[in-house]
Amino acid sequence: AAAALASGEYTPNTEVPGPAALDLPQTTVDLPNYDGRPCGPGDRTTLANALRISCNTAFGAIGLDLGADRLRETAERFGLNQELDFPMEEATSIFPEDANQPQTAQSAIGQFDVAITPLQAAMIAAGVANGGVVMQPYLVQEISGPDLTTVFEADPEQMPNQPAVSPQVASELTNMMIDVVENGTGQAAQIPGVSVAGKTGTAQHGEGANPHAWFVSF
């Protein structure tokens, strides 16, 4: 969604394909929706609604349109494919390089060789909340001595190649994520009197195994 909005070719209201299954090029394997149903009348939907209901086929189609390079560049601006300077063991989150067309469509919904840590997912959500600027994560904010004087205080730093997206795109993403919680797949995260932005995710990790349910929010 960030790559689509940043391209200037999409707005939240742009109509996109949303069939029950997306016919992928170069392969006989389709990309289906989780519930096996189309995401809107006439197999069409909007970008905002695709995010609201987690429409696999819409984002697969968007990924094919944007291409692997633009998806990867946006992912890397949010911190993927980068080792983090972090004082705990932390795996590097991955967005694949040199993906072909069907692999690009799968990557656009977080499948194929995409791999992401909970910390990286939190950094992406925080970057959207921070007007599009992703910050370097750190573990300790402040250390005080025995006399309560400050011995150490963290100095927040931006990740390389910031902003990941413009403030306008971050604002559009925020509104779309609020819609996810108010009207879409994230309604369980509603808090009375609080505006919550969020995004659900489903990670499959083996034949016959229950998928992992993910949620990021601010």
Side-chain angles (χ1 to χ4, degrees):
L5 293 170
S7 73
E9 299 167 16
Y10 292 82
T11 72
N13 295 320
T14 298
E15 194 175 87
V16 296
L22 183 65
D23 182 16
L24 298 180
Q26 304 172 7
T27 178
T28 58
V29 178
D30 292 338
L31 178 66
N33 286 326
Y34 189 72
D35 61 4
R37 297 187 296 180
C39 298
D43 290 349
R44 306 287 293 180
T45 186
T46 64
L47 176 60
N49 189 59
L51 192 80
R52 181 190 301 123
I53 64 174
S54 282
C55 179
N56 287 346
T57 57
F59 284 102
I62 292 167
L64 287 174
D65 178 51
L66 294 174
D69 289 344
R70 284 202 277 187
L71 292 184
R72 188 186 69 256
E73 288 165 6
T74 300
E76 289 177 347
R77 284 183 174 274
F78 276 102
L80 280 78
N81 295 339
Q82 299 182 46
E83 291 188 16
L84 298 178
D85 182 13
F86 191 68
M88 292 179 68
E89 186 174 349
E90 174 69 15
T92 299
S93 295
I94 297 168
F95 194 91
E97 297 187 23
D98 302 322
N100 62 25
Q101 283 190 302
Q103 292 166 349
T104 297
Q106 293 168 340
S107 298
I109 67 163
Q111 294 190 342
F112 182 49
D113 286 345
V114 175
I116 188 171
T117 65
L119 175 61
Q120 178 65 69
M123 289 168 60
I124 292 172
V128 174
N130 195 36
V133 177
V134 181
M135 303 300 291
Q136 188 78 240
Y138 57 86
L139 195 60
V140 177
Q141 174 69 40
E142 185 176 308
I143 299 174
S144 299
D147 58 355
L148 301 184
T149 58
T150 299
V151 176
F152 166 83
E153 186 171 8
D155 183 19
E157 297 181 10
Q158 297 181 7
M159 290 286 290
N161 302 317
Q162 293 305 301
V165 291
S166 69
Q168 177 183 342
V169 169
S171 177
E172 291 172 334
L173 287 168
T174 297
N175 289 332
M176 290 165 64
M177 292 171 69
I178 290 172
D179 192 25
V180 168
V181 175
E182 291 185 349
N183 303 299
T185 57
Q187 293 183 50
Q190 292 177 3
I191 301 173
V194 177
S195 182
V196 179
K199 183 67 192 82
T200 54
T202 306
Q204 297 167 316
H205 60 99
E207 192 71 32
N210 289 330
H212 291 308
W214 286 63
F215 188 70
V216 292
S217 71
F218 55 91

